[in-house]
Amino acid sequence: MTWWFRFCASTFWLLGGENIYYGWIRPTAIIISQFRRSPDGNYVAAGSLDTVVRIWDVRDETLVERLRGHSDSVYDIAFTPDGKALFSASMDKTLKCWDLTPMLENDGSKTGQGEESARSIEFVGHKDCVLSVAVTPNSAWVVSGSKDRNVLFWDTATGEAQSCFKLIRTP
């Protein structure tokens, strides 16, 4: 699915498939690197250059969660197919898996003002910035790509890298 993002003042639109989201972001100096929609369509998550992942409830246009824990910019994010977890890829050379169950059990009623409110598991193995992340349909594997030119396959149950493909340049 292709997403189109447009910022005008502090308003954003997300267009994709049959879903059109319109929302309001209070004016800030935040630079967003990536948007993703939750599988149920109720939430939008954004990775940003200020190291924080923010989650908005699109039903009432409120910020419901701030996920803090990376030490550098968050470059990519991916929801699990069931929407109960979110993976973030960062310039700090790590992936994090954020448990969103507490937010979902409260139906997104968190204030988004707390410290690191969701539990996270850190995946360490890349030698340079992690630029992309994807989750398999059964949530058993996470795949990440890095500036170190490695693609790692992670077991989500253990957080261990199971396979590595080295990308090589050809003339």
Side-chain angles (χ1 to χ4, degrees):
M1 176 178 292
T2 303
W3 289 94
W4 177 71
F5 310 105
R6 180 175 176 204
F7 288 91
C8 178
S10 16
T11 306
F12 71 90
W13 293 266
L14 292 138
L15 308 174
E18 298 175 10
N19 300 311
I20 299 175
Y21 297 107
Y22 168 82
W24 181 262
I25 299 176
R26 289 186 170 83
T28 62
I30 299 166
I31 298 173
I32 303 294
S33 58
Q34 189 63 260
F35 271 107
R36 294 283 188 242
R37 175 183 60 106
S38 66
D40 64 6
N42 291 334
Y43 301 97
V44 172
S48 63
L49 300 187
D50 70 351
T51 75
V52 179
V53 177
R54 291 169 177 81
I55 302 175
W56 287 272
D57 188 326
V58 297
R59 297 166 293 185
D60 60 7
E61 301 175 7
T62 57
L63 178 65
V64 293
E65 195 68 83
R66 287 184 183 152
L67 306 174
R68 302 173 195 270
H70 283 291
S71 62
D72 205 342
S73 304
V74 177
Y75 205 77
D76 196 14
I77 53 178
F79 280 96
T80 56
D82 63 6
K84 293 181 180 179
L86 178 78
F87 284 86
S88 55
S90 174
M91 303 296 262
D92 67 7
K93 304 176 190 174
T94 67
L95 290 174
K96 283 193 183 288
C97 176
W98 303 93
D99 178 12
L100 302 180
T101 342
M103 181 190 80
L104 297 171
E105 287 171 354
N106 292 331
D107 195 28
S109 62
K110 293 200 179 260
T111 63
Q113 303 300 320
E115 292 302 313
E116 186 176 329
S117 51
R119 293 186 320 254
S120 66
I121 299 169
E122 189 169 72
F123 292 60
V124 179
H126 283 291
K127 294 176 180 68
D128 208 338
C129 309
V130 185
L131 303 174
S132 59
V133 62
V135 184
T136 59
N138 64 359
S139 297
W141 297 94
V142 174
V143 183
S144 60
S146 170
K147 193 174 176 184
D148 63 12
R149 297 180 16 217
N150 288 323
V151 175
L152 293 178
F153 289 76
W154 304 86
D155 182 341
T156 57
T158 65
E160 301 283 324
Q162 300 297 312
S163 298
C164 175
F165 292 102
K166 179 78 172 172
L167 301 176
I168 58 171
R169 292 185 185 166
T170 57

PDB file of all heavy atoms in Angstrom, residues 68-105:
ATOM      1  N   ARG A  68       9.634   6.181  24.448  1.00  0.00           N
ATOM      2  CA  ARG A  68      10.993   6.702  24.592  1.00  0.00           C
ATOM      3  C   ARG A  68      11.931   5.556  24.945  1.00  0.00           C
ATOM      4  O   ARG A  68      11.572   4.695  25.722  1.00  0.00           O
ATOM      5  CB  ARG A  68      11.044   7.747  25.702  1.00  0.00           C
ATOM      6  CG  ARG A  68      10.111   8.913  25.494  1.00  0.00           C
ATOM      7  CD  ARG A  68      10.103   9.806  26.736  1.00  0.00           C
ATOM      8  NE  ARG A  68       9.008  10.724  26.743  1.00  0.00           N
ATOM      9  CZ  ARG A  68       9.037  11.942  26.216  1.00  0.00           C
ATOM     10  NH1 ARG A  68      10.121  12.375  25.625  1.00  0.00           N
ATOM     11  NH2 ARG A  68       7.981  12.733  26.268  1.00  0.00           N
ATOM     12  N   GLY A  69      13.125   5.597  24.385  1.00  0.00           N
ATOM     13  CA  GLY A  69      14.099   4.566  24.709  1.00  0.00           C
ATOM     14  C   GLY A  69      15.263   4.516  23.736  1.00  0.00           C
ATOM     15  O   GLY A  69      16.318   3.998  24.069  1.00  0.00           O
ATOM     16  N   HIS A  70      15.081   5.027  22.539  1.00  0.00           N
ATOM     17  CA  HIS A  70      16.190   5.083  21.585  1.00  0.00           C
ATOM     18  C   HIS A  70      17.097   6.254  21.940  1.00  0.00           C
ATOM     19  O   HIS A  70      16.656   7.263  22.485  1.00  0.00           O
ATOM     20  CB  HIS A  70      15.682   5.244  20.150  1.00  0.00           C
ATOM     21  CG  HIS A  70      15.148   3.983  19.562  1.00  0.00           C
ATOM     22  ND1 HIS A  70      15.961   2.906  19.253  1.00  0.00           N
ATOM     23  CD2 HIS A  70      13.887   3.617  19.212  1.00  0.00           C
ATOM     24  CE1 HIS A  70      15.216   1.934  18.733  1.00  0.00           C
ATOM     25  NE2 HIS A  70      13.959   2.335  18.708  1.00  0.00           N
ATOM     26  N   SER A  71      18.367   6.124  21.594  1.00  0.00           N
ATOM     27  CA  SER A  71      19.319   7.199  21.863  1.00  0.00           C
ATOM     28  C   SER A  71      19.633   8.027  20.613  1.00  0.00           C
ATOM     29  O   SER A  71      20.410   8.968  20.682  1.00  0.00           O
ATOM     30  CB  SER A  71      20.612   6.635  22.447  1.00  0.00           C
ATOM     31  OG  SER A  71      21.214   5.756  21.520  1.00  0.00           O
ATOM     32  N   ASP A  72      19.012   7.678  19.480  1.00  0.00           N
ATOM     33  CA  ASP A  72      19.190   8.441  18.245  1.00  0.00           C
ATOM     34  C   ASP A  72      17.884   8.364  17.453  1.00  0.00           C
ATOM     35  O   ASP A  72      16.939   7.696  17.854  1.00  0.00           O
ATOM     36  CB  ASP A  72      20.366   7.873  17.439  1.00  0.00           C
ATOM     37  CG  ASP A  72      21.008   8.895  16.506  1.00  0.00           C
ATOM     38  OD1 ASP A  72      20.370   9.936  16.217  1.00  0.00           O
ATOM     39  OD2 ASP A  72      22.142   8.654  16.058  1.00  0.00           O
ATOM     40  N   SER A  73      17.843   9.034  16.324  1.00  0.00           N
ATOM     41  CA  SER A  73      16.630   9.151  15.507  1.00  0.00           C
ATOM     42  C   SER A  73      15.992   7.808  15.186  1.00  0.00           C
ATOM     43  O   SER A  73      16.685   6.815  14.965  1.00  0.00           O
ATOM     44  CB  SER A  73      16.970   9.841  14.182  1.00  0.00           C
ATOM     45  OG  SER A  73      17.565  11.086  14.417  1.00  0.00           O
ATOM     46  N   VAL A  74      14.664   7.788  15.167  1.00  0.00           N
ATOM     47  CA  VAL A  74      13.903   6.609  14.758  1.00  0.00           C
ATOM     48  C   VAL A  74      13.622   6.752  13.271  1.00  0.00           C
ATOM     49  O   VAL A  74      12.966   7.704  12.841  1.00  0.00           O
ATOM     50  CB  VAL A  74      12.595   6.481  15.560  1.00  0.00           C
ATOM     51  CG1 VAL A  74      11.784   5.295  15.062  1.00  0.00           C
ATOM     52  CG2 VAL A  74      12.898   6.350  17.043  1.00  0.00           C
ATOM     53  N   TYR A  75      14.122   5.807  12.486  1.00  0.00           N
ATOM     54  CA  TYR A  75      14.085   5.931  11.033  1.00  0.00           C
ATOM     55  C   TYR A  75      12.919   5.180  10.394  1.00  0.00           C
ATOM     56  O   TYR A  75      12.412   5.582   9.369  1.00  0.00           O
ATOM     57  CB  TYR A  75      15.412   5.447  10.455  1.00  0.00           C
ATOM     58  CG  TYR A  75      15.726   6.038   9.116  1.00  0.00           C
ATOM     59  CD1 TYR A  75      16.191   7.335   9.010  1.00  0.00           C
ATOM     60  CD2 TYR A  75      15.539   5.305   7.962  1.00  0.00           C
ATOM     61  CE1 TYR A  75      16.460   7.905   7.779  1.00  0.00           C
ATOM     62  CE2 TYR A  75      15.809   5.859   6.724  1.00  0.00           C
ATOM     63  CZ  TYR A  75      16.280   7.154   6.634  1.00  0.00           C
ATOM     64  OH  TYR A  75      16.535   7.698   5.410  1.00  0.00           O
ATOM     65  N   ASP A  76      12.491   4.065  11.001  1.00  0.00           N
ATOM     66  CA  ASP A  76      11.388   3.293  10.430  1.00  0.00           C
ATOM     67  C   ASP A  76      10.629   2.620  11.566  1.00  0.00           C
ATOM     68  O   ASP A  76      11.183   2.391  12.651  1.00  0.00           O
ATOM     69  CB  ASP A  76      11.919   2.246   9.448  1.00  0.00           C
ATOM     70  CG  ASP A  76      10.842   1.678   8.529  1.00  0.00           C
ATOM     71  OD1 ASP A  76       9.731   2.258   8.456  1.00  0.00           O
ATOM     72  OD2 ASP A  76      11.104   0.651   7.868  1.00  0.00           O
ATOM     73  N   ILE A  77       9.364   2.297  11.324  1.00  0.00           N
ATOM     74  CA  ILE A  77       8.529   1.608  12.302  1.00  0.00           C
ATOM     75  C   ILE A  77       7.629   0.607  11.593  1.00  0.00           C
ATOM     76  O   ILE A  77       7.358   0.754  10.397  1.00  0.00           O
ATOM     77  CB  ILE A  77       7.658   2.598  13.127  1.00  0.00           C
ATOM     78  CG1 ILE A  77       6.853   3.505  12.200  1.00  0.00           C
ATOM     79  CG2 ILE A  77       8.508   3.402  14.085  1.00  0.00           C
ATOM     80  CD1 ILE A  77       5.941   4.473  12.920  1.00  0.00           C
ATOM     81  N   ALA A  78       7.181  -0.414  12.327  1.00  0.00           N
ATOM     82  CA  ALA A  78       6.275  -1.417  11.757  1.00  0.00           C
ATOM     83  C   ALA A  78       5.428  -2.022  12.868  1.00  0.00           C
ATOM     84  O   ALA A  78       5.963  -2.450  13.892  1.00  0.00           O
ATOM     85  CB  ALA A  78       7.059  -2.514  11.049  1.00  0.00           C
ATOM     86  N   PHE A  79       4.112  -2.043  12.659  1.00  0.00           N
ATOM     87  CA  PHE A  79       3.208  -2.729  13.572  1.00  0.00           C
ATOM     88  C   PHE A  79       3.241  -4.225  13.292  1.00  0.00           C
ATOM     89  O   PHE A  79       3.440  -4.648  12.140  1.00  0.00           O
ATOM     90  CB  PHE A  79       1.758  -2.259  13.367  1.00  0.00           C
ATOM     91  CG  PHE A  79       1.412  -0.959  14.018  1.00  0.00           C
ATOM     92  CD1 PHE A  79       1.454   0.222  13.295  1.00  0.00           C
ATOM     93  CD2 PHE A  79       1.024  -0.913  15.352  1.00  0.00           C
ATOM     94  CE1 PHE A  79       1.118   1.426  13.886  1.00  0.00           C
ATOM     95  CE2 PHE A  79       0.682   0.284  15.958  1.00  0.00           C
ATOM     96  CZ  PHE A  79       0.731   1.462  15.221  1.00  0.00           C
ATOM     97  N   THR A  80       3.014  -5.039  14.322  1.00  0.00           N
ATOM     98  CA  THR A  80       2.780  -6.461  14.092  1.00  0.00           C
ATOM     99  C   THR A  80       1.388  -6.600  13.485  1.00  0.00           C
ATOM    100  O   THR A  80       0.540  -5.717  13.659  1.00  0.00           O
ATOM    101  CB  THR A  80       2.870  -7.267  15.403  1.00  0.00           C
ATOM    102  OG1 THR A  80       1.949  -6.717  16.349  1.00  0.00           O
ATOM    103  CG2 THR A  80       4.281  -7.252  15.959  1.00  0.00           C
ATOM    104  N   PRO A  81       1.122  -7.692  12.762  1.00  0.00           N
ATOM    105  CA  PRO A  81      -0.200  -7.844  12.138  1.00  0.00           C
ATOM    106  C   PRO A  81      -1.380  -7.788  13.103  1.00  0.00           C
ATOM    107  O   PRO A  81      -2.459  -7.351  12.731  1.00  0.00           O
ATOM    108  CB  PRO A  81      -0.112  -9.213  11.457  1.00  0.00           C
ATOM    109  CG  PRO A  81       1.340  -9.364  11.153  1.00  0.00           C
ATOM    110  CD  PRO A  81       2.044  -8.735  12.329  1.00  0.00           C
ATOM    111  N   ASP A  82      -1.172  -8.200  14.364  1.00  0.00           N
ATOM    112  CA  ASP A  82      -2.276  -8.128  15.328  1.00  0.00           C
ATOM    113  C   ASP A  82      -2.356  -6.765  16.012  1.00  0.00           C
ATOM    114  O   ASP A  82      -3.273  -6.502  16.781  1.00  0.00           O
ATOM    115  CB  ASP A  82      -2.170  -9.243  16.375  1.00  0.00           C
ATOM    116  CG  ASP A  82      -0.917  -9.158  17.232  1.00  0.00           C
ATOM    117  OD1 ASP A  82      -0.148  -8.160  17.112  1.00  0.00           O
ATOM    118  OD2 ASP A  82      -0.690 -10.085  18.023  1.00  0.00           O
ATOM    119  N   GLY A  83      -1.378  -5.889  15.749  1.00  0.00           N
ATOM    120  CA  GLY A  83      -1.390  -4.542  16.306  1.00  0.00           C
ATOM    121  C   GLY A  83      -1.005  -4.445  17.776  1.00  0.00           C
ATOM    122  O   GLY A  83      -1.070  -3.379  18.364  1.00  0.00           O
ATOM    123  N   LYS A  84      -0.570  -5.552  18.367  1.00  0.00           N
ATOM    124  CA  LYS A  84      -0.251  -5.549  19.801  1.00  0.00           C
ATOM    125  C   LYS A  84       1.184  -5.130  20.099  1.00  0.00           C
ATOM    126  O   LYS A  84       1.558  -4.970  21.257  1.00  0.00           O
ATOM    127  CB  LYS A  84      -0.526  -6.924  20.402  1.00  0.00           C
ATOM    128  CG  LYS A  84      -2.005  -7.268  20.406  1.00  0.00           C
ATOM    129  CD  LYS A  84      -2.242  -8.611  21.031  1.00  0.00           C
ATOM    130  CE  LYS A  84      -3.739  -8.920  21.025  1.00  0.00           C
ATOM    131  NZ  LYS A  84      -4.022 -10.233  21.601  1.00  0.00           N
ATOM    132  N   ALA A  85       1.981  -4.973  19.059  1.00  0.00           N
ATOM    133  CA  ALA A  85       3.366  -4.543  19.249  1.00  0.00           C
ATOM    134  C   ALA A  85       3.780  -3.666  18.078  1.00  0.00           C
ATOM    135  O   ALA A  85       3.163  -3.694  17.008  1.00  0.00           O
ATOM    136  CB  ALA A  85       4.291  -5.750  19.364  1.00  0.00           C
ATOM    137  N   LEU A  86       4.814  -2.886  18.315  1.00  0.00           N
ATOM    138  CA  LEU A  86       5.349  -1.988  17.295  1.00  0.00           C
ATOM    139  C   LEU A  86       6.868  -2.102  17.332  1.00  0.00           C
ATOM    140  O   LEU A  86       7.467  -2.055  18.413  1.00  0.00           O
ATOM    141  CB  LEU A  86       4.929  -0.545  17.581  1.00  0.00           C
ATOM    142  CG  LEU A  86       5.446   0.521  16.633  1.00  0.00           C
ATOM    143  CD1 LEU A  86       4.640   0.508  15.339  1.00  0.00           C
ATOM    144  CD2 LEU A  86       5.366   1.886  17.275  1.00  0.00           C
ATOM    145  N   PHE A  87       7.488  -2.267  16.176  1.00  0.00           N
ATOM    146  CA  PHE A  87       8.938  -2.310  16.079  1.00  0.00           C
ATOM    147  C   PHE A  87       9.430  -0.971  15.580  1.00  0.00           C
ATOM    148  O   PHE A  87       8.823  -0.363  14.700  1.00  0.00           O
ATOM    149  CB  PHE A  87       9.392  -3.414  15.117  1.00  0.00           C
ATOM    150  CG  PHE A  87       9.296  -4.786  15.710  1.00  0.00           C
ATOM    151  CD1 PHE A  87       8.111  -5.499  15.653  1.00  0.00           C
ATOM    152  CD2 PHE A  87      10.389  -5.357  16.340  1.00  0.00           C
ATOM    153  CE1 PHE A  87       8.014  -6.758  16.203  1.00  0.00           C
ATOM    154  CE2 PHE A  87      10.301  -6.621  16.907  1.00  0.00           C
ATOM    155  CZ  PHE A  87       9.117  -7.319  16.836  1.00  0.00           C
ATOM    156  N   SER A  88      10.546  -0.525  16.133  1.00  0.00           N
ATOM    157  CA  SER A  88      11.152   0.724  15.675  1.00  0.00           C
ATOM    158  C   SER A  88      12.621   0.475  15.340  1.00  0.00           C
ATOM    159  O   SER A  88      13.331  -0.224  16.065  1.00  0.00           O
ATOM    160  CB  SER A  88      11.025   1.812  16.748  1.00  0.00           C
ATOM    161  OG  SER A  88      11.564   1.386  17.976  1.00  0.00           O
ATOM    162  N   ALA A  89      13.047   1.034  14.210  1.00  0.00           N
ATOM    163  CA  ALA A  89      14.431   0.937  13.748  1.00  0.00           C
ATOM    164  C   ALA A  89      15.072   2.303  13.936  1.00  0.00           C
ATOM    165  O   ALA A  89      14.487   3.318  13.589  1.00  0.00           O
ATOM    166  CB  ALA A  89      14.465   0.539  12.276  1.00  0.00           C
ATOM    167  N   SER A  90      16.293   2.294  14.474  1.00  0.00           N
ATOM    168  CA  SER A  90      16.887   3.571  14.861  1.00  0.00           C
ATOM    169  C   SER A  90      18.311   3.739  14.336  1.00  0.00           C
ATOM    170  O   SER A  90      19.014   2.770  14.056  1.00  0.00           O
ATOM    171  CB  SER A  90      16.893   3.687  16.387  1.00  0.00           C
ATOM    172  OG  SER A  90      17.582   4.833  16.817  1.00  0.00           O
ATOM    173  N   MET A  91      18.692   4.999  14.286  1.00  0.00           N
ATOM    174  CA  MET A  91      20.057   5.346  13.927  1.00  0.00           C
ATOM    175  C   MET A  91      21.027   4.947  15.045  1.00  0.00           C
ATOM    176  O   MET A  91      22.232   4.989  14.852  1.00  0.00           O
ATOM    177  CB  MET A  91      20.167   6.851  13.659  1.00  0.00           C
ATOM    178  CG  MET A  91      19.219   7.344  12.568  1.00  0.00           C
ATOM    179  SD  MET A  91      19.572   6.632  10.977  1.00  0.00           S
ATOM    180  CE  MET A  91      20.529   7.949  10.284  1.00  0.00           C
ATOM    181  N   ASP A  92      20.520   4.539  16.215  1.00  0.00           N
ATOM    182  CA  ASP A  92      21.385   4.090  17.311  1.00  0.00           C
ATOM    183  C   ASP A  92      21.825   2.637  17.144  1.00  0.00           C
ATOM    184  O   ASP A  92      22.350   2.022  18.070  1.00  0.00           O
ATOM    185  CB  ASP A  92      20.728   4.318  18.672  1.00  0.00           C
ATOM    186  CG  ASP A  92      19.493   3.453  18.923  1.00  0.00           C
ATOM    187  OD1 ASP A  92      19.183   2.564  18.101  1.00  0.00           O
ATOM    188  OD2 ASP A  92      18.822   3.676  19.945  1.00  0.00           O
ATOM    189  N   LYS A  93      21.565   2.052  15.962  1.00  0.00           N
ATOM    190  CA  LYS A  93      21.996   0.696  15.571  1.00  0.00           C
ATOM    191  C   LYS A  93      21.145  -0.405  16.196  1.00  0.00           C
ATOM    192  O   LYS A  93      21.545  -1.565  16.211  1.00  0.00           O
ATOM    193  CB  LYS A  93      23.470   0.454  15.917  1.00  0.00           C
ATOM    194  CG  LYS A  93      24.418   1.467  15.325  1.00  0.00           C
ATOM    195  CD  LYS A  93      25.833   1.223  15.785  1.00  0.00           C
ATOM    196  CE  LYS A  93      26.710   2.382  15.374  1.00  0.00           C
ATOM    197  NZ  LYS A  93      28.054   2.270  15.916  1.00  0.00           N
ATOM    198  N   THR A  94      19.966  -0.064  16.726  1.00  0.00           N
ATOM    199  CA  THR A  94      19.121  -1.069  17.371  1.00  0.00           C
ATOM    200  C   THR A  94      17.712  -1.067  16.793  1.00  0.00           C
ATOM    201  O   THR A  94      17.272  -0.111  16.161  1.00  0.00           O
ATOM    202  CB  THR A  94      18.993  -0.817  18.890  1.00  0.00           C
ATOM    203  OG1 THR A  94      18.264   0.392  19.107  1.00  0.00           O
ATOM    204  CG2 THR A  94      20.349  -0.747  19.562  1.00  0.00           C
ATOM    205  N   LEU A  95      17.026  -2.166  17.065  1.00  0.00           N
ATOM    206  CA  LEU A  95      15.579  -2.274  16.889  1.00  0.00           C
ATOM    207  C   LEU A  95      14.995  -2.372  18.283  1.00  0.00           C
ATOM    208  O   LEU A  95      15.635  -2.902  19.189  1.00  0.00           O
ATOM    209  CB  LEU A  95      15.203  -3.570  16.168  1.00  0.00           C
ATOM    210  CG  LEU A  95      15.529  -3.758  14.721  1.00  0.00           C
ATOM    211  CD1 LEU A  95      15.176  -5.184  14.316  1.00  0.00           C
ATOM    212  CD2 LEU A  95      14.757  -2.784  13.877  1.00  0.00           C
ATOM    213  N   LYS A  96      13.772  -1.887  18.442  1.00  0.00           N
ATOM    214  CA  LYS A  96      13.046  -2.103  19.692  1.00  0.00           C
ATOM    215  C   LYS A  96      11.671  -2.658  19.340  1.00  0.00           C
ATOM    216  O   LYS A  96      11.062  -2.262  18.349  1.00  0.00           O
ATOM    217  CB  LYS A  96      12.890  -0.807  20.477  1.00  0.00           C
ATOM    218  CG  LYS A  96      14.160  -0.382  21.193  1.00  0.00           C
ATOM    219  CD  LYS A  96      13.869   0.705  22.197  1.00  0.00           C
ATOM    220  CE  LYS A  96      15.114   1.184  22.874  1.00  0.00           C
ATOM    221  NZ  LYS A  96      15.675   0.245  23.819  1.00  0.00           N
ATOM    222  N   CYS A  97      11.209  -3.577  20.180  1.00  0.00           N
ATOM    223  CA  CYS A  97       9.848  -4.096  20.079  1.00  0.00           C
ATOM    224  C   CYS A  97       9.083  -3.547  21.271  1.00  0.00           C
ATOM    225  O   CYS A  97       9.410  -3.835  22.423  1.00  0.00           O
ATOM    226  CB  CYS A  97       9.850  -5.614  20.093  1.00  0.00           C
ATOM    227  SG  CYS A  97       8.188  -6.313  20.073  1.00  0.00           S
ATOM    228  N   TRP A  98       8.064  -2.740  20.989  1.00  0.00           N
ATOM    229  CA  TRP A  98       7.273  -2.082  22.032  1.00  0.00           C
ATOM    230  C   TRP A  98       5.977  -2.855  22.241  1.00  0.00           C
ATOM    231  O   TRP A  98       5.245  -3.115  21.288  1.00  0.00           O
ATOM    232  CB  TRP A  98       6.942  -0.658  21.613  1.00  0.00           C
ATOM    233  CG  TRP A  98       8.144   0.170  21.313  1.00  0.00           C
ATOM    234  CD1 TRP A  98       8.725   0.346  20.085  1.00  0.00           C
ATOM    235  CD2 TRP A  98       8.917   0.931  22.241  1.00  0.00           C
ATOM    236  NE1 TRP A  98       9.814   1.175  20.204  1.00  0.00           N
ATOM    237  CE2 TRP A  98       9.958   1.557  21.516  1.00  0.00           C
ATOM    238  CE3 TRP A  98       8.828   1.149  23.610  1.00  0.00           C
ATOM    239  CZ2 TRP A  98      10.891   2.380  22.112  1.00  0.00           C
ATOM    240  CZ3 TRP A  98       9.757   1.975  24.205  1.00  0.00           C
ATOM    241  CH2 TRP A  98      10.780   2.578  23.469  1.00  0.00           C
ATOM    242  N   ASP A  99       5.695  -3.194  23.477  1.00  0.00           N
ATOM    243  CA  ASP A  99       4.451  -3.873  23.841  1.00  0.00           C
ATOM    244  C   ASP A  99       3.343  -2.823  23.955  1.00  0.00           C
ATOM    245  O   ASP A  99       3.382  -1.979  24.849  1.00  0.00           O
ATOM    246  CB  ASP A  99       4.637  -4.612  25.157  1.00  0.00           C
ATOM    247  CG  ASP A  99       3.382  -5.309  25.618  1.00  0.00           C
ATOM    248  OD1 ASP A  99       2.418  -5.421  24.832  1.00  0.00           O
ATOM    249  OD2 ASP A  99       3.356  -5.743  26.787  1.00  0.00           O
ATOM    250  N   LEU A 100       2.365  -2.884  23.067  1.00  0.00           N
ATOM    251  CA  LEU A 100       1.272  -1.903  23.070  1.00  0.00           C
ATOM    252  C   LEU A 100       0.034  -2.389  23.803  1.00  0.00           C
ATOM    253  O   LEU A 100      -0.969  -1.684  23.849  1.00  0.00           O
ATOM    254  CB  LEU A 100       0.900  -1.534  21.630  1.00  0.00           C
ATOM    255  CG  LEU A 100       2.013  -0.961  20.773  1.00  0.00           C
ATOM    256  CD1 LEU A 100       1.492  -0.640  19.376  1.00  0.00           C
ATOM    257  CD2 LEU A 100       2.630   0.264  21.419  1.00  0.00           C
ATOM    258  N   THR A 101       0.102  -3.583  24.405  1.00  0.00           N
ATOM    259  CA  THR A 101      -1.091  -4.123  25.065  1.00  0.00           C
ATOM    260  C   THR A 101      -1.664  -3.208  26.134  1.00  0.00           C
ATOM    261  O   THR A 101      -2.882  -3.043  26.181  1.00  0.00           O
ATOM    262  CB  THR A 101      -0.811  -5.502  25.690  1.00  0.00           C
ATOM    263  OG1 THR A 101       0.350  -6.077  25.136  1.00  0.00           O
ATOM    264  CG2 THR A 101      -1.938  -6.442  25.438  1.00  0.00           C
ATOM    265  N   PRO A 102      -0.840  -2.580  26.998  1.00  0.00           N
ATOM    266  CA  PRO A 102      -1.440  -1.680  27.999  1.00  0.00           C
ATOM    267  C   PRO A 102      -2.217  -0.526  27.354  1.00  0.00           C
ATOM    268  O   PRO A 102      -3.302  -0.175  27.823  1.00  0.00           O
ATOM    269  CB  PRO A 102      -0.235  -1.149  28.778  1.00  0.00           C
ATOM    270  CG  PRO A 102       0.819  -2.180  28.599  1.00  0.00           C
ATOM    271  CD  PRO A 102       0.598  -2.733  27.219  1.00  0.00           C
ATOM    272  N   MET A 103      -1.700   0.024  26.282  1.00  0.00           N
ATOM    273  CA  MET A 103      -2.402   1.110  25.586  1.00  0.00           C
ATOM    274  C   MET A 103      -3.716   0.609  24.999  1.00  0.00           C
ATOM    275  O   MET A 103      -4.751   1.261  25.121  1.00  0.00           O
ATOM    276  CB  MET A 103      -1.519   1.672  24.465  1.00  0.00           C
ATOM    277  CG  MET A 103      -2.156   2.811  23.704  1.00  0.00           C
ATOM    278  SD  MET A 103      -1.234   3.251  22.221  1.00  0.00           S
ATOM    279  CE  MET A 103      -1.780   1.991  21.077  1.00  0.00           C
ATOM    280  N   LEU A 104      -3.686  -0.574  24.396  1.00  0.00           N
ATOM    281  CA  LEU A 104      -4.890  -1.124  23.775  1.00  0.00           C
ATOM    282  C   LEU A 104      -5.931  -1.521  24.819  1.00  0.00           C
ATOM    283  O   LEU A 104      -7.133  -1.356  24.594  1.00  0.00           O
ATOM    284  CB  LEU A 104      -4.529  -2.324  22.903  1.00  0.00           C
ATOM    285  CG  LEU A 104      -3.608  -2.022  21.727  1.00  0.00           C
ATOM    286  CD1 LEU A 104      -3.143  -3.315  21.071  1.00  0.00           C
ATOM    287  CD2 LEU A 104      -4.283  -1.117  20.721  1.00  0.00           C
ATOM    288  N   GLU A 105      -5.481  -2.034  25.962  1.00  0.00           N
ATOM    289  CA  GLU A 105      -6.425  -2.412  27.025  1.00  0.00           C
ATOM    290  C   GLU A 105      -7.121  -1.189  27.600  1.00  0.00           C
ATOM    291  O   GLU A 105      -8.255  -1.272  28.052  1.00  0.00           O
ATOM    292  CB  GLU A 105      -5.694  -3.175  28.121  1.00  0.00           C
ATOM    293  CG  GLU A 105      -5.304  -4.579  27.706  1.00  0.00           C
ATOM    294  CD  GLU A 105      -4.399  -5.268  28.700  1.00  0.00           C
ATOM    295  OE1 GLU A 105      -3.966  -4.622  29.685  1.00  0.00           O
ATOM    296  OE2 GLU A 105      -4.128  -6.462  28.497  1.00  0.00           O
TER     297      GLU A 105
END
